[in-house]
Amino acid sequence: MATRGKKVVERIKVLMDKPERIRNIGIIAHIDHGKTTLTDNLLAGAGIISKELAGEQLFTDFYYLEQQRGITIFSANVSMVHEFEGNEYLINLIDTPGHVDFGGGVTRALRAVDGAIVVVDAVEGIMPQTETVLRQALRENVKPVLFINKVDRLINELKVDKKEMQARLARIIDGVNRMIKSMKPNKYEEWRLDVAEGSVAFGSALYKWAISVPSMQKTGIGFNEVYDYCTRNEMDKLAEQSPAHEVVLDMVVKHLPNPLDAQKIRIPVIWRGDIGSDIGRSMAKCDRDGEVAMIVTGITVDPHAGEVVTGRLFSGTLRKGMELNIVGKHRKGRVQQVSVYIGEHRVEVNEICAGNIVAITGIKDAAVGDTLSTVDMTPFESIRHYSEPVVTVAVEAKSMKDLPRLIEVLRKIAKEDPTIRIELNEETGEHLISGMGELHLEIVTHRINVDENIPIIVSPPIVVYRETVQGTAGPVEGKSPNRHNRFYFVVEPLEPEVLEKIKEGSITMDLDDKVRRRLLEGAGMNKDEARGVVDIYEGNVLIDMTKGIQFLNETMELIIEGFRDVMSKGPLARERCLGIKVKLVDAKLHEDAIHRGPAQVIPAVRAALNAAILMAKPILLEPMQEVFITAPQSLLGNVTREMQGRRGQILDINMEGDMVTVKAKAPVAEMFGFAGDIRSATEGRALWSTEFAGFEPIPQALFHDTVMKIRKRKGLKLEMPQPSDFIS
Ligand SMILES: Nc1nc2c(ncn2[C@@H]2O[C@H](COP(=O)(O)OP(=O)(O)OP(=O)(O)O)[C@@H](O)[C@H]2O)c(=O)[nH]1
Ligand SMILES: [Mg+2]
């Protein structure tokens, strides 16, 4: 770090202690809209990187693959100091990725920050991922401001006139405001973007200039001047007179909340504990003298320091040597190092108080989303990822001697990225890595192969399915091996609205019984069933409908275990189940506990459930994707053909100027290799992006073959399973 950088460190250390001078913010946007380029501007303005390199260095794209591919993969933390109206402010900023495969990084970052700069490309406008990340921010009570980027392209490439330029910019602002209004009606007056107030800025991150109404009042440079500078190709002059970092950071300091103000409104939505308790009050007022409460938003493994845990400190003061509980895990760790981020460097400090984003070492067993505290407390709401890992590859070490190292690296990767799921295929001995998409898995396997130097064989990608039922079956009897215990189950589809609420995370077993019952009834479940819910697992529900059966309470744990077994490996093809309602309607239990142990109860439950699912019109669900493609109108035919060839459904076609945007939906399974195919179908002139769109039933005509294909891959018997395989 240059000497300039060193001075920054000293100033940061002073400001860390003054929460009213801190802004914790994220930069969020659709892919390629210019987040990292804008971050470069801000860092250069703050003297952390050189002005000349800003916009090209892409400083926060630390990892070489990010530089090589021009895409952000990992969220990056940086801190900088900004002067506004005579005072200095500490800006802790997280540059997030735009590609959907790395969306988990955005979700986690949003837990750490209080405000967000939403970047929108002036030419592309609001895109699907813009909406997704903005919605996530609003849900976490993270306040947005807007930066409309690439205004230079509007003027120099699209050659719009001044009127058209303003109209386009206004449309983007309206669009964002509409979303704020619909998601936060109570906050709308306060959070509405207002050009006159300065919560919107316009500019070009690449050419390093920006304007806002407050900046116009200071510099006299407004839309007319911008238009003329751009058309005369004198953007360097514009950048000198109205530099992007000034305008954007002024907006951040003025319109985004400091931790003292933010925590008051954020704690009630990210924490379900008692706000009136000591720790609740301490977090709400960001009290540095309170007990420590921190949420882990990132874990990286540093070759020297070991595991580095990054997160947001909501209460208390962190010091070296402190002992922290990993809440709910019955584990503890001792803090070895406390540091803050500056660029990619962590700078060690003696202590750090509530309201900051911090990095600590010494806590080994923590995972992303965990709560760390000096006391025993209600943990933070889990960080819920909005997409699911639906694409899987099987990997195998080329050489057996690398197997232990492979297992270790896989464990490390799973820890760093909770959107990766790793399983062992017991039948074949391969490791299965599931992720958000092809690119996600390509990066993960590259890290193993190249960065970790473990040669592996990687299978082509496949998708994961879910098993569900379309009808009702039962009561189906399951007998224990000793024949002394019998369970009677009915299975049927879960109410769609109940499933939706479970997926959203608003109905969970953690809720108070009464609250959960009310929510379930509100979503359409009948009263008796809602009262009987004993487990919710992976989007399936177990309900006890029995009354007064002796010993059942003591047996319930085992019944739940059997239920979970079947829900994680369904009878059709051992894929997970989804959306199944399982009702226990009767049971006969041996009076002697010895005769109703795990070896008796679990197999009986499993047998009954497997058989019942097979009797209730079982079907496979496949993961779906929404696909958005923008291309010149002349290529519309090629685009729709490309989608229709993939069992795609065209949902919408939108013409604008000589461009057309196609919105379509297709199974993830059919989308492999799409990048290359759409490139050749459109001579590389299409821009496209995708979004996870949940699971849908596969067409009946593909049912048999798909089940057989999965069974074959898993080394299972190549016959359609029958209820009689499970019960006699
Ligand atoms: N013309 C123009 N190009 C820009 C501007 N800002 C960024 N770009 C270009 O847009 C591309 C994407 O920029 P990035 O900063 O990497 O975008 P990003 O949002 O960080 O991308 P991801 O992190 O991968 O989502 C690069 O080629 C930039 O040079 C701008 O203001 N004007
Ligand atoms: Mg980026």
mmCIF file with all atom_site columns, all heavy atoms in Angstrom, residues 413-429:
data_model
loop_
_atom_site.group_PDB
_atom_site.id
_atom_site.type_symbol
_atom_site.label_atom_id
_atom_site.label_alt_id
_atom_site.label_comp_id
_atom_site.label_asym_id
_atom_site.label_entity_id
_atom_site.label_seq_id
_atom_site.pdbx_PDB_ins_code
_atom_site.Cartn_x
_atom_site.Cartn_y
_atom_site.Cartn_z
_atom_site.occupancy
_atom_site.B_iso_or_equiv
_atom_site.pdbx_formal_charge
_atom_site.auth_seq_id
_atom_site.auth_comp_id
_atom_site.auth_asym_id
_atom_site.auth_atom_id
_atom_site.pdbx_PDB_model_num
ATOM 1   N N   . ILE A 1 413 ? -14.508 -25.224 0.621  1.00 0.00 ? 413 ILE A N   1
ATOM 2   C CA  . ILE A 1 413 ? -15.347 -24.509 -0.344 1.00 0.00 ? 413 ILE A CA  1
ATOM 3   C C   . ILE A 1 413 ? -16.779 -24.399 0.166  1.00 0.00 ? 413 ILE A C   1
ATOM 4   O O   . ILE A 1 413 ? -17.414 -23.350 0.077  1.00 0.00 ? 413 ILE A O   1
ATOM 5   C CB  . ILE A 1 413 ? -15.298 -25.218 -1.720 1.00 0.00 ? 413 ILE A CB  1
ATOM 6   C CG1 . ILE A 1 413 ? -13.940 -24.937 -2.362 1.00 0.00 ? 413 ILE A CG1 1
ATOM 7   C CG2 . ILE A 1 413 ? -16.433 -24.752 -2.633 1.00 0.00 ? 413 ILE A CG2 1
ATOM 8   C CD1 . ILE A 1 413 ? -13.680 -25.682 -3.639 1.00 0.00 ? 413 ILE A CD1 1
ATOM 9   N N   . ALA A 1 414 ? -17.278 -25.482 0.758  1.00 0.00 ? 414 ALA A N   1
ATOM 10  C CA  . ALA A 1 414 ? -18.650 -25.457 1.265  1.00 0.00 ? 414 ALA A CA  1
ATOM 11  C C   . ALA A 1 414 ? -18.800 -24.433 2.382  1.00 0.00 ? 414 ALA A C   1
ATOM 12  O O   . ALA A 1 414 ? -19.850 -23.827 2.561  1.00 0.00 ? 414 ALA A O   1
ATOM 13  C CB  . ALA A 1 414 ? -19.044 -26.837 1.764  1.00 0.00 ? 414 ALA A CB  1
ATOM 14  N N   . LYS A 1 415 ? -17.742 -24.258 3.149  1.00 0.00 ? 415 LYS A N   1
ATOM 15  C CA  . LYS A 1 415 ? -17.780 -23.303 4.242  1.00 0.00 ? 415 LYS A CA  1
ATOM 16  C C   . LYS A 1 415 ? -17.797 -21.867 3.724  1.00 0.00 ? 415 LYS A C   1
ATOM 17  O O   . LYS A 1 415 ? -18.503 -21.007 4.224  1.00 0.00 ? 415 LYS A O   1
ATOM 18  C CB  . LYS A 1 415 ? -16.500 -23.489 5.066  1.00 0.00 ? 415 LYS A CB  1
ATOM 19  C CG  . LYS A 1 415 ? -16.795 -23.617 6.510  1.00 0.00 ? 415 LYS A CG  1
ATOM 20  C CD  . LYS A 1 415 ? -15.549 -23.839 7.283  1.00 0.00 ? 415 LYS A CD  1
ATOM 21  C CE  . LYS A 1 415 ? -15.970 -24.150 8.692  1.00 0.00 ? 415 LYS A CE  1
ATOM 22  N NZ  . LYS A 1 415 ? -14.830 -24.492 9.519  1.00 0.00 ? 415 LYS A NZ  1
ATOM 23  N N   . GLU A 1 416 ? -16.978 -21.626 2.695  1.00 0.00 ? 416 GLU A N   1
ATOM 24  C CA  . GLU A 1 416 ? -16.880 -20.267 2.159  1.00 0.00 ? 416 GLU A CA  1
ATOM 25  C C   . GLU A 1 416 ? -18.136 -19.874 1.401  1.00 0.00 ? 416 GLU A C   1
ATOM 26  O O   . GLU A 1 416 ? -18.512 -18.716 1.361  1.00 0.00 ? 416 GLU A O   1
ATOM 27  C CB  . GLU A 1 416 ? -15.693 -20.168 1.195  1.00 0.00 ? 416 GLU A CB  1
ATOM 28  C CG  . GLU A 1 416 ? -14.370 -20.289 1.885  1.00 0.00 ? 416 GLU A CG  1
ATOM 29  C CD  . GLU A 1 416 ? -13.209 -20.169 0.910  1.00 0.00 ? 416 GLU A CD  1
ATOM 30  O OE1 . GLU A 1 416 ? -13.401 -19.801 -0.267 1.00 0.00 ? 416 GLU A OE1 1
ATOM 31  O OE2 . GLU A 1 416 ? -12.088 -20.466 1.330  1.00 0.00 ? 416 GLU A OE2 1
ATOM 32  N N   . ASP A 1 417 ? -18.765 -20.841 0.761  1.00 0.00 ? 417 ASP A N   1
ATOM 33  C CA  . ASP A 1 417 ? -19.901 -20.529 -0.100 1.00 0.00 ? 417 ASP A CA  1
ATOM 34  C C   . ASP A 1 417 ? -21.080 -21.418 0.263  1.00 0.00 ? 417 ASP A C   1
ATOM 35  O O   . ASP A 1 417 ? -21.194 -22.545 -0.195 1.00 0.00 ? 417 ASP A O   1
ATOM 36  C CB  . ASP A 1 417 ? -19.502 -20.750 -1.568 1.00 0.00 ? 417 ASP A CB  1
ATOM 37  C CG  . ASP A 1 417 ? -20.632 -20.390 -2.513 1.00 0.00 ? 417 ASP A CG  1
ATOM 38  O OD1 . ASP A 1 417 ? -21.758 -20.124 -2.034 1.00 0.00 ? 417 ASP A OD1 1
ATOM 39  O OD2 . ASP A 1 417 ? -20.398 -20.372 -3.739 1.00 0.00 ? 417 ASP A OD2 1
ATOM 40  N N   . PRO A 1 418 ? -21.978 -20.897 1.097  1.00 0.00 ? 418 PRO A N   1
ATOM 41  C CA  . PRO A 1 418 ? -23.090 -21.742 1.542  1.00 0.00 ? 418 PRO A CA  1
ATOM 42  C C   . PRO A 1 418 ? -24.096 -22.065 0.437  1.00 0.00 ? 418 PRO A C   1
ATOM 43  O O   . PRO A 1 418 ? -24.996 -22.856 0.663  1.00 0.00 ? 418 PRO A O   1
ATOM 44  C CB  . PRO A 1 418 ? -23.752 -20.913 2.652  1.00 0.00 ? 418 PRO A CB  1
ATOM 45  C CG  . PRO A 1 418 ? -23.278 -19.531 2.455  1.00 0.00 ? 418 PRO A CG  1
ATOM 46  C CD  . PRO A 1 418 ? -22.002 -19.563 1.695  1.00 0.00 ? 418 PRO A CD  1
ATOM 47  N N   . THR A 1 419 ? -23.938 -21.487 -0.758 1.00 0.00 ? 419 THR A N   1
ATOM 48  C CA  . THR A 1 419 ? -24.863 -21.865 -1.824 1.00 0.00 ? 419 THR A CA  1
ATOM 49  C C   . THR A 1 419 ? -24.352 -23.087 -2.591 1.00 0.00 ? 419 THR A C   1
ATOM 50  O O   . THR A 1 419 ? -24.982 -23.540 -3.538 1.00 0.00 ? 419 THR A O   1
ATOM 51  C CB  . THR A 1 419 ? -25.123 -20.705 -2.815 1.00 0.00 ? 419 THR A CB  1
ATOM 52  O OG1 . THR A 1 419 ? -23.885 -20.302 -3.405 1.00 0.00 ? 419 THR A OG1 1
ATOM 53  C CG2 . THR A 1 419 ? -25.745 -19.512 -2.114 1.00 0.00 ? 419 THR A CG2 1
ATOM 54  N N   . ILE A 1 420 ? -23.203 -23.595 -2.172 1.00 0.00 ? 420 ILE A N   1
ATOM 55  C CA  . ILE A 1 420 ? -22.693 -24.850 -2.739 1.00 0.00 ? 420 ILE A CA  1
ATOM 56  C C   . ILE A 1 420 ? -23.127 -25.975 -1.811 1.00 0.00 ? 420 ILE A C   1
ATOM 57  O O   . ILE A 1 420 ? -23.028 -25.861 -0.598 1.00 0.00 ? 420 ILE A O   1
ATOM 58  C CB  . ILE A 1 420 ? -21.147 -24.809 -2.790 1.00 0.00 ? 420 ILE A CB  1
ATOM 59  C CG1 . ILE A 1 420 ? -20.672 -23.836 -3.870 1.00 0.00 ? 420 ILE A CG1 1
ATOM 60  C CG2 . ILE A 1 420 ? -20.560 -26.182 -3.002 1.00 0.00 ? 420 ILE A CG2 1
ATOM 61  C CD1 . ILE A 1 420 ? -20.650 -24.400 -5.244 1.00 0.00 ? 420 ILE A CD1 1
ATOM 62  N N   . ARG A 1 421 ? -23.602 -27.073 -2.397 1.00 0.00 ? 421 ARG A N   1
ATOM 63  C CA  . ARG A 1 421 ? -23.986 -28.211 -1.564 1.00 0.00 ? 421 ARG A CA  1
ATOM 64  C C   . ARG A 1 421 ? -23.113 -29.397 -1.969 1.00 0.00 ? 421 ARG A C   1
ATOM 65  O O   . ARG A 1 421 ? -22.975 -29.671 -3.149 1.00 0.00 ? 421 ARG A O   1
ATOM 66  C CB  . ARG A 1 421 ? -25.456 -28.519 -1.832 1.00 0.00 ? 421 ARG A CB  1
ATOM 67  C CG  . ARG A 1 421 ? -26.104 -29.344 -0.774 1.00 0.00 ? 421 ARG A CG  1
ATOM 68  C CD  . ARG A 1 421 ? -27.584 -29.441 -1.072 1.00 0.00 ? 421 ARG A CD  1
ATOM 69  N NE  . ARG A 1 421 ? -28.403 -28.845 -0.028 1.00 0.00 ? 421 ARG A NE  1
ATOM 70  C CZ  . ARG A 1 421 ? -29.725 -28.688 -0.130 1.00 0.00 ? 421 ARG A CZ  1
ATOM 71  N NH1 . ARG A 1 421 ? -30.356 -29.028 -1.198 1.00 0.00 ? 421 ARG A NH1 1
ATOM 72  N NH2 . ARG A 1 421 ? -30.407 -28.170 0.863  1.00 0.00 ? 421 ARG A NH2 1
ATOM 73  N N   . ILE A 1 422 ? -22.510 -30.037 -0.985 1.00 0.00 ? 422 ILE A N   1
ATOM 74  C CA  . ILE A 1 422 ? -21.630 -31.157 -1.324 1.00 0.00 ? 422 ILE A CA  1
ATOM 75  C C   . ILE A 1 422 ? -22.140 -32.435 -0.689 1.00 0.00 ? 422 ILE A C   1
ATOM 76  O O   . ILE A 1 422 ? -22.479 -32.468 0.492  1.00 0.00 ? 422 ILE A O   1
ATOM 77  C CB  . ILE A 1 422 ? -20.192 -30.829 -0.906 1.00 0.00 ? 422 ILE A CB  1
ATOM 78  C CG1 . ILE A 1 422 ? -19.687 -29.700 -1.814 1.00 0.00 ? 422 ILE A CG1 1
ATOM 79  C CG2 . ILE A 1 422 ? -19.291 -32.055 -1.036 1.00 0.00 ? 422 ILE A CG2 1
ATOM 80  C CD1 . ILE A 1 422 ? -18.387 -29.123 -1.493 1.00 0.00 ? 422 ILE A CD1 1
ATOM 81  N N   . GLU A 1 423 ? -22.256 -33.461 -1.503 1.00 0.00 ? 423 GLU A N   1
ATOM 82  C CA  . GLU A 1 423 ? -22.746 -34.743 -0.997 1.00 0.00 ? 423 GLU A CA  1
ATOM 83  C C   . GLU A 1 423 ? -21.874 -35.855 -1.539 1.00 0.00 ? 423 GLU A C   1
ATOM 84  O O   . GLU A 1 423 ? -21.248 -35.705 -2.581 1.00 0.00 ? 423 GLU A O   1
ATOM 85  C CB  . GLU A 1 423 ? -24.178 -34.993 -1.495 1.00 0.00 ? 423 GLU A CB  1
ATOM 86  C CG  . GLU A 1 423 ? -25.244 -34.297 -0.689 1.00 0.00 ? 423 GLU A CG  1
ATOM 87  C CD  . GLU A 1 423 ? -26.572 -34.235 -1.438 1.00 0.00 ? 423 GLU A CD  1
ATOM 88  O OE1 . GLU A 1 423 ? -26.555 -34.059 -2.671 1.00 0.00 ? 423 GLU A OE1 1
ATOM 89  O OE2 . GLU A 1 423 ? -27.593 -34.364 -0.800 1.00 0.00 ? 423 GLU A OE2 1
ATOM 90  N N   . LEU A 1 424 ? -21.890 -36.951 -0.820 1.00 0.00 ? 424 LEU A N   1
ATOM 91  C CA  . LEU A 1 424 ? -21.168 -38.116 -1.309 1.00 0.00 ? 424 LEU A CA  1
ATOM 92  C C   . LEU A 1 424 ? -22.202 -39.054 -1.906 1.00 0.00 ? 424 LEU A C   1
ATOM 93  O O   . LEU A 1 424 ? -23.209 -39.357 -1.288 1.00 0.00 ? 424 LEU A O   1
ATOM 94  C CB  . LEU A 1 424 ? -20.449 -38.781 -0.133 1.00 0.00 ? 424 LEU A CB  1
ATOM 95  C CG  . LEU A 1 424 ? -19.586 -39.981 -0.494 1.00 0.00 ? 424 LEU A CG  1
ATOM 96  C CD1 . LEU A 1 424 ? -18.375 -39.540 -1.300 1.00 0.00 ? 424 LEU A CD1 1
ATOM 97  C CD2 . LEU A 1 424 ? -19.150 -40.715 0.768  1.00 0.00 ? 424 LEU A CD2 1
ATOM 98  N N   . ASN A 1 425 ? -21.955 -39.498 -3.140 1.00 0.00 ? 425 ASN A N   1
ATOM 99  C CA  . ASN A 1 425 ? -22.827 -40.516 -3.709 1.00 0.00 ? 425 ASN A CA  1
ATOM 100 C C   . ASN A 1 425 ? -22.341 -41.861 -3.187 1.00 0.00 ? 425 ASN A C   1
ATOM 101 O O   . ASN A 1 425 ? -21.297 -42.353 -3.596 1.00 0.00 ? 425 ASN A O   1
ATOM 102 C CB  . ASN A 1 425 ? -22.755 -40.463 -5.233 1.00 0.00 ? 425 ASN A CB  1
ATOM 103 C CG  . ASN A 1 425 ? -23.669 -41.499 -5.861 1.00 0.00 ? 425 ASN A CG  1
ATOM 104 O OD1 . ASN A 1 425 ? -24.080 -42.467 -5.227 1.00 0.00 ? 425 ASN A OD1 1
ATOM 105 N ND2 . ASN A 1 425 ? -23.992 -41.281 -7.126 1.00 0.00 ? 425 ASN A ND2 1
ATOM 106 N N   . GLU A 1 426 ? -23.130 -42.427 -2.259 1.00 0.00 ? 426 GLU A N   1
ATOM 107 C CA  . GLU A 1 426 ? -22.643 -43.644 -1.605 1.00 0.00 ? 426 GLU A CA  1
ATOM 108 C C   . GLU A 1 426 ? -22.527 -44.810 -2.575 1.00 0.00 ? 426 GLU A C   1
ATOM 109 O O   . GLU A 1 426 ? -21.663 -45.671 -2.424 1.00 0.00 ? 426 GLU A O   1
ATOM 110 C CB  . GLU A 1 426 ? -23.547 -44.003 -0.428 1.00 0.00 ? 426 GLU A CB  1
ATOM 111 C CG  . GLU A 1 426 ? -23.190 -43.170 0.795  1.00 0.00 ? 426 GLU A CG  1
ATOM 112 C CD  . GLU A 1 426 ? -24.383 -42.894 1.685  1.00 0.00 ? 426 GLU A CD  1
ATOM 113 O OE1 . GLU A 1 426 ? -25.342 -43.692 1.643  1.00 0.00 ? 426 GLU A OE1 1
ATOM 114 O OE2 . GLU A 1 426 ? -24.346 -41.890 2.411  1.00 0.00 ? 426 GLU A OE2 1
ATOM 115 N N   . GLU A 1 427 ? -23.396 -44.816 -3.592 1.00 0.00 ? 427 GLU A N   1
ATOM 116 C CA  . GLU A 1 427 ? -23.342 -45.934 -4.539 1.00 0.00 ? 427 GLU A CA  1
ATOM 117 C C   . GLU A 1 427 ? -22.072 -45.895 -5.387 1.00 0.00 ? 427 GLU A C   1
ATOM 118 O O   . GLU A 1 427 ? -21.481 -46.922 -5.678 1.00 0.00 ? 427 GLU A O   1
ATOM 119 C CB  . GLU A 1 427 ? -24.573 -45.937 -5.455 1.00 0.00 ? 427 GLU A CB  1
ATOM 120 C CG  . GLU A 1 427 ? -25.835 -46.494 -4.805 1.00 0.00 ? 427 GLU A CG  1
ATOM 121 C CD  . GLU A 1 427 ? -26.597 -45.438 -4.007 1.00 0.00 ? 427 GLU A CD  1
ATOM 122 O OE1 . GLU A 1 427 ? -26.217 -44.248 -4.076 1.00 0.00 ? 427 GLU A OE1 1
ATOM 123 O OE2 . GLU A 1 427 ? -27.556 -45.806 -3.290 1.00 0.00 ? 427 GLU A OE2 1
ATOM 124 N N   . THR A 1 428 ? -21.658 -44.699 -5.818 1.00 0.00 ? 428 THR A N   1
ATOM 125 C CA  . THR A 1 428 ? -20.526 -44.638 -6.751 1.00 0.00 ? 428 THR A CA  1
ATOM 126 C C   . THR A 1 428 ? -19.243 -44.126 -6.101 1.00 0.00 ? 428 THR A C   1
ATOM 127 O O   . THR A 1 428 ? -18.178 -44.207 -6.696 1.00 0.00 ? 428 THR A O   1
ATOM 128 C CB  . THR A 1 428 ? -20.836 -43.686 -7.918 1.00 0.00 ? 428 THR A CB  1
ATOM 129 O OG1 . THR A 1 428 ? -21.036 -42.378 -7.366 1.00 0.00 ? 428 THR A OG1 1
ATOM 130 C CG2 . THR A 1 428 ? -22.073 -44.103 -8.678 1.00 0.00 ? 428 THR A CG2 1
ATOM 131 N N   . GLY A 1 429 ? -19.344 -43.559 -4.906 1.00 0.00 ? 429 GLY A N   1
ATOM 132 C CA  . GLY A 1 429 ? -18.154 -43.033 -4.245 1.00 0.00 ? 429 GLY A CA  1
ATOM 133 C C   . GLY A 1 429 ? -17.709 -41.682 -4.783 1.00 0.00 ? 429 GLY A C   1
ATOM 134 O O   . GLY A 1 429 ? -16.683 -41.151 -4.372 1.00 0.00 ? 429 GLY A O   1
#
